[in-house]
Each structure stands twice: as C-alpha cells, then as structure tokens.
Amino acid sequence: MRFSKKTGCFYPENISYPNLPPDLIDVDEKAYHAAMNRRHGEVLEVVEGKLMVANGRIVYRTDTGGRMIIGESGPLPDGATEKERPSELYDWREDQGAWALDRDRALASVREEIKAYRNHRMDAGGAFYEGRWFRTDVFSHKDILGAVSIGEEFDAQSEQDRTWRDMENEYVVLTAKEMAELNKAILRMRRDAFTAFERHMGLLGESENPLEYDYRSKWWPESYAAWWRCSIALRGRIASGSTGLTVSSCAIRNRSRLFLCAGSSVFSMSNIHESAYSTR
C-alpha cells in the first residue's frame, strides 16, 4: 500500500493510475490497519517517511524543518516551532521567531531554473520560417546543418530525401538555400534566447525576493507552444463567428492563408513576413 500526504489518499500497488502524486510513501500492513481504525479527531501524518496516526500537535524542528508530534497541551520543546518550514531554502531565525529565506541559496536555485528554462526554449521552442514552425532540438539542427554543408549535392537528391516535417507534422520539400535560411532562423532564435537569459540573470540579482521573480513572461523568442495556444483561441473565435480576440498578437497558418490576430481584430492575409510575427 502507498499513501500521499498531499492528497490524503491510499494507492494500492495492484491498481494502475495514470498520474501519481510525487510524495508517495510505502505503508506496511500494521500502519495501514492503524490508519483505517483511527478514532474521531485523529489525523494521518507523515513523519520521517513513515505514516503515523497523530493524536497530538504537529510541530516542526527548527534545525531541519522535520515534523514532530507532541502532546495536545504543554509548552513547545526547545528547538521546535508550530510554523511549517516553507522549503529547504529557509532557515529558522530565533530573533524573528520565523523562517527566513536564505537569499544566496534562493538565488542559486532560481538561476538553475532559468538555465533549464533557457535550454528548454532552445530545444523545444521551435523556429518560425516561411509560415511554418520547425524543430530546433540538437538532432534536428544537426540534420539541417548537414543539408546546408553539402549544398548542391542536397538539391540533387530526390524530393523524398529533401522532404522535411514541421512541428505540425506536415511535410514540405526544401532546397539547400532554404535550409540555410532555416538554419539562420534557428540561430536567431538561440541568440534571442541567450539575450533573454542574460537579462533575466542580471535582473534576478536585483529582485527583493528571488523566488517571486518572473523569468518566463518577457523577452524570450516566440515559441511554437505560444503560437499553438493563440491559434486554438483564434480558431475557436472564427468558428463561433466572433471577430474580437483578447489574446496577444499572433499569426497562424490555416490551409494556404495566414490569419493575423492583432489586438482585438482578425485579418486574413496571403503573406506575413517573419519580422511582422510577434507575440508574448
């Protein structure tokens, strides 16, 4: 048997679940029996990785933040508080009687998050070229560079060998010159991602609380995911006969036309230059 403090539920091993909470612990038969037969007013708690039936107060160690169970009445023991530790980035401040954020550890933690987000945007964000989104992961980019490097030899290949699949799983035949332009689009995206990364890393150090700094909303190059969300909203409005949109500027390709959503109006255009395509 397994138990999740987050959901307060048990999860038998013989049942397959599509999604399981991340805080599952194993529960032996004795602990499960005690949990199922607990009295009114008793609660289930996870203490040091074990399920316990608590009939007292839950308090927290000020050195590690770990849970302890003490009697319902009486003073707190030394080195304990009733305030739960927000995360491992906080330390107990006796002079304040509260958990205080360690700024250096918080900065280091968020910096790693920004690095991971930068890498994700470069690998999975996609590059927009000639009305299509193309994959930008390491393997796809390597194939594109290979096509560019052989130039005329690539153009001499059959259409099947020059067929590329975009991020909507549609196929297009490309030339070596077009491959070179696609490579430039990928390099621009990567350059813009690094520029956004450097700006966020600089501003993070100036933030009062690093954990509250929003590094996702500004300056990153456009991504296929944002385009897709906007396209879904636009298609829904078109299907319902509405011409007003409340989403940011975006362009989507629908059959042979591009629809530009700018502010609150929708325009149908036969061609939109890449530089005119922008959205947050």
Side-chain angles (χ1 to χ4, degrees):
M1 185 62 68
R2 297 165 295 180
F3 176 77
S4 166
K5 171 62 178 175
K6 182 178 181 180
T7 64
C9 297
F10 289 93
Y11 298 84
E13 288 90 346
N14 61 350
I15 298 179
S16 178
Y17 298 89
N19 295 295
L20 288 169
D23 63 336
L24 282 181
I25 62 168
D26 292 324
V27 179
D28 59 31
E29 185 176 348
K30 181 179 179 180
Y32 178 70
H33 179 76
M36 292 295 98
N37 291 278
R38 65 186 183 276
R39 293 172 295 183
H40 178 72
E42 293 181 330
V43 296
L44 299 180
E45 278 294 335
V46 176
V47 179
E48 296 182 353
K50 295 183 179 181
L51 180 64
M52 299 184 64
V53 177
N55 55 5
R57 284 187 295 167
I58 304 298
V59 297
Y60 305 91
R61 296 179 52 166
T62 56
D63 56 349
T64 65
R67 286 189 177 95
M68 297 189 299
I69 301 175
I70 64 173
E72 286 286 356
S73 59
L76 285 172
D78 292 339
T81 176
E82 293 181 330
K83 300 176 181 178
E84 185 174 4
R85 189 185 192 186
S87 76
E88 293 183 356
L89 299 177
Y90 288 77
D91 295 321
W92 180 256
R93 291 289 300 271
E94 196 66 43
D95 57 333
Q96 299 177 6
W99 296 100
L101 179 68
D102 184 299
R103 182 175 176 80
D104 290 338
R105 295 210 307 271
L107 283 171
S109 176
V110 178
R111 286 189 183 113
E112 290 303 313
E113 290 181 15
I114 299 177
K115 289 179 183 178
Y117 188 66
R118 174 203 64 192
N119 295 340
H120 170 72
R121 292 297 295 256
M122 290 195 299
D123 289 341
F128 191 73
Y129 171 68
E130 291 296 318
R132 295 175 180 269
W133 283 94
F134 291 89
R135 292 173 176 81
T136 55
D137 59 90
V138 174
F139 298 105
S140 297
H141 193 201
K142 183 178 179 180
D143 289 340
I144 293 169
L145 289 174
V148 173
S149 66
I150 61 176
E152 293 181 358
E153 293 181 31
F154 179 77
D155 289 337
Q157 295 178 358
S158 66
E159 283 195 0
Q160 181 177 354
D161 291 333
R162 293 188 292 111
T163 298
W164 232 253
R165 187 172 65 176
D166 64 17
M167 295 184 75
E168 290 195 287
N169 292 321
E170 295 183 358
Y171 293 88
V172 58
V173 178
L174 298 174
T175 65
K177 182 178 179 180
E178 289 171 329
M179 281 293 196
E181 293 301 316
L182 173 56
N183 179 54
K184 291 179 183 179
I186 294 175
L187 294 178
R188 283 195 298 271
M189 179 276 293
R190 290 179 175 270
R191 177 202 62 200
D192 293 344
F194 265 102
T195 299
F197 166 74
E198 294 293 342
R199 293 183 71 176
H200 283 298
M201 291 292 271
L203 290 175
L204 174 65
E206 302 174 8
S207 61
E208 183 175 346
N209 184 346
L211 299 183
E212 295 178 355
Y213 179 75
D214 180 12
Y215 57 82
R216 292 173 175 263
S217 62
K218 295 188 293 186
W219 304 318
W220 297 101
E222 183 51 66
S223 68
Y224 174 73
W227 173 91
W228 185 83
R229 289 192 297 268
C230 187
S231 70
I232 293 298
L234 179 54
R235 288 166 184 164
R237 289 301 185 93
I238 293 174
S240 65
S242 172
T243 58
L245 285 173
T246 58
V247 294
S248 303
S249 300
C250 69
I252 70 167
R253 183 170 51 79
N254 186 357
R255 296 188 177 90
S256 61
R257 295 191 300 173
L258 283 170
F259 288 91
L260 175 65
C261 159
S264 61
S265 301
V266 176
F267 305 93
S268 173
M269 304 178 67
S270 59
N271 184 32
I272 297 178
H273 191 271
E274 181 181 355
S275 62
Y277 177 90
S278 65
T279 180
R280 291 193 297 274

